[in-house]
Amino acid sequence: IISGWFSEISPMWPGEAHSLKVEKVLFQGKSDYQDVMVFQSSTYGKVLILDGVIQLTERDECAYQEMITHLPLCSIPNPKKVLVIGGGDGGVLREVARHSSVEQIDICEIDKMVVDVSKEFFPDVAVGYDDPRVRLHIGDGVAFLKNAPEGTYDAVIVDSSDPIGPAQELFEKPFFASVAKALRPGGVVCTQAESIWLHMHIIEDIVSNCRQIFKGSVNYAWTTVPTYPSGVIGFMLCSTEGPSVDFKHPINPIDTDGNQESRPLKFYNSEIHSAAFCLPSFARKVIQPK
Ligand code: AAT
């Protein structure tokens, strides 16, 4: 923080840095895995930072959490067992809980400090933990999946930080292979897959790994999140061999139960779901070469 502004500086986006004006630093700590900071910003509400990188702001977290959750869950009928890797803030849990068919929500987050800090400073996000279907495991998502029973989950959502730090292995081929093993036939995975403006080389690797491992469909979708680097973030959506999944045409829209008046969806709807798979030409050339 330099003269009242936080700048997100990282070798993952050289030559640029998005800044937010800081009203007040609310928390600063060092966990076993990363530096953790929370501050009150002047225009985006409270902000959670891990190792100098913005993980969420109160103002735009809805765009990321709703899309990473409902893109997979609205693409399959009756999801029952869902696994979240990362996502310790609880926002993805909050979104999964909107689906009344879901019976079990496992989450494996590596860093307990993220969970504790979210419960203290981001109650509207950590509210996800209040759902009785949630079971929290603190540990490395890579190890968790290695030991997970085979063929059980309907959906796995990988809400992971960037590939520098504890999340590095979550972008590698052996991890995708263990995700595929843990999914039922025709099960789906949605992973945080970085920005088409900044990380085409990372995306290219993820796509080629996923094409080898997931024998159903493999698709890239993206959305806007103003406080993420370059203002956009993408998701890799894949399904395993089995009942086919057409991600571009959601068959399981969120019902009125899930879209309650007390806590309505702010970002996701069926039109934006389909639109998220339309790619700019430069990205399409790399991701879906014809
Ligand atoms: N929903 C907020 C967005 C995130 S949070 C990513 C989470 O992944 C963090 O809580 C981090 O502690 C956790 N994590 C990192 N590595 C692992 C691991 N190996 N196993 C389990 N959890 C892990 C993502 C923000 C994206 C930022 C884009 N620039």
Side-chain angles (χ1 to χ4, degrees), residues 39-67:
F39 67 82
Q40 178 70 48
S41 68
S42 51
T43 54
Y44 276 84
K46 289 188 211 112
V47 184
L48 173 66
I49 309 283
L50 299 177
D51 280 345
V53 176
I54 296 172
Q55 304 294 304
L56 65 85
T57 81
E58 287 181 310
R59 181 166 155 194
D60 66 4
E61 54 91 9
C62 61
Y64 177 77
Q65 325 262 29
E66 291 183 15
M67 291 297 271

Side-chain angles (χ1 to χ4, degrees), residues 12-192:
M12 283 180 290
W13 34 93
E16 61 184 281
H18 186 236
S19 300
L20 291 171
K21 191 161 194 215
V22 179
E23 297 279 301
K24 193 177 182 209
V25 175
L26 301 172
F27 179 87
Q28 257 181 316
K30 201 173 172 56
S31 73
D32 292 342
Y33 301 94
Q34 49 209 349
D35 293 322
V36 181
M37 177 170 67
V38 178
F39 67 82
Q40 178 70 48
S41 68
S42 51
T43 54
Y44 276 84
K46 289 188 211 112
V47 184
L48 173 66
I49 309 283
L50 299 177
D51 280 345
V53 176
I54 296 172
Q55 304 294 304
L56 65 85
T57 81
E58 287 181 310
R59 181 166 155 194
D60 66 4
E61 54 91 9
C62 61
Y64 177 77
Q65 325 262 29
E66 291 183 15
M67 291 297 271
I68 197 173
T69 306
H70 304 308
L71 288 175
L73 295 188
C74 293
S75 297
I76 53 171
N78 289 309
K80 289 193 175 69
K81 282 189 169 193
V82 179
L83 170 63
V84 180
I85 300 292
D89 52 82
V92 171
L93 302 175
R94 179 193 68 201
E95 295 306 316
V96 175
R98 292 183 191 273
H99 291 261
S100 50
S101 64
V102 170
E103 293 165 0
Q104 183 183 328
I105 313 172
D106 291 336
I107 173 167
C108 180
E109 159 65 49
I110 203 167
D111 194 343
K112 185 167 182 295
M113 192 181 280
V114 174
V115 179
D116 295 341
V117 160
S118 299
K119 287 183 176 170
E120 187 175 349
F121 296 101
F122 298 90
D124 292 338
V125 179
V127 65
Y129 285 104
D130 294 348
D131 193 282
R133 294 167 289 181
V134 171
R135 299 191 210 161
L136 170 63
H137 307 262
I138 297 293
D140 185 353
V142 175
F144 185 89
L145 269 163
K146 267 186 202 145
N147 301 318
E150 286 180 27
T152 41
Y153 291 104
D154 297 285
V156 175
I157 298 170
V158 187
D159 176 15
S160 98
S161 24
D162 298 312
I164 294 186
Q168 192 189 326
E169 285 184 69
L170 303 181
F171 289 79
E172 293 169 1
K173 198 169 165 186
F175 175 74
F176 292 122
S178 62
V179 170
K181 234 178 170 183
L183 284 170
R184 65 155 168 86
V188 293
V189 61
C190 180
T191 76
Q192 192 271 88

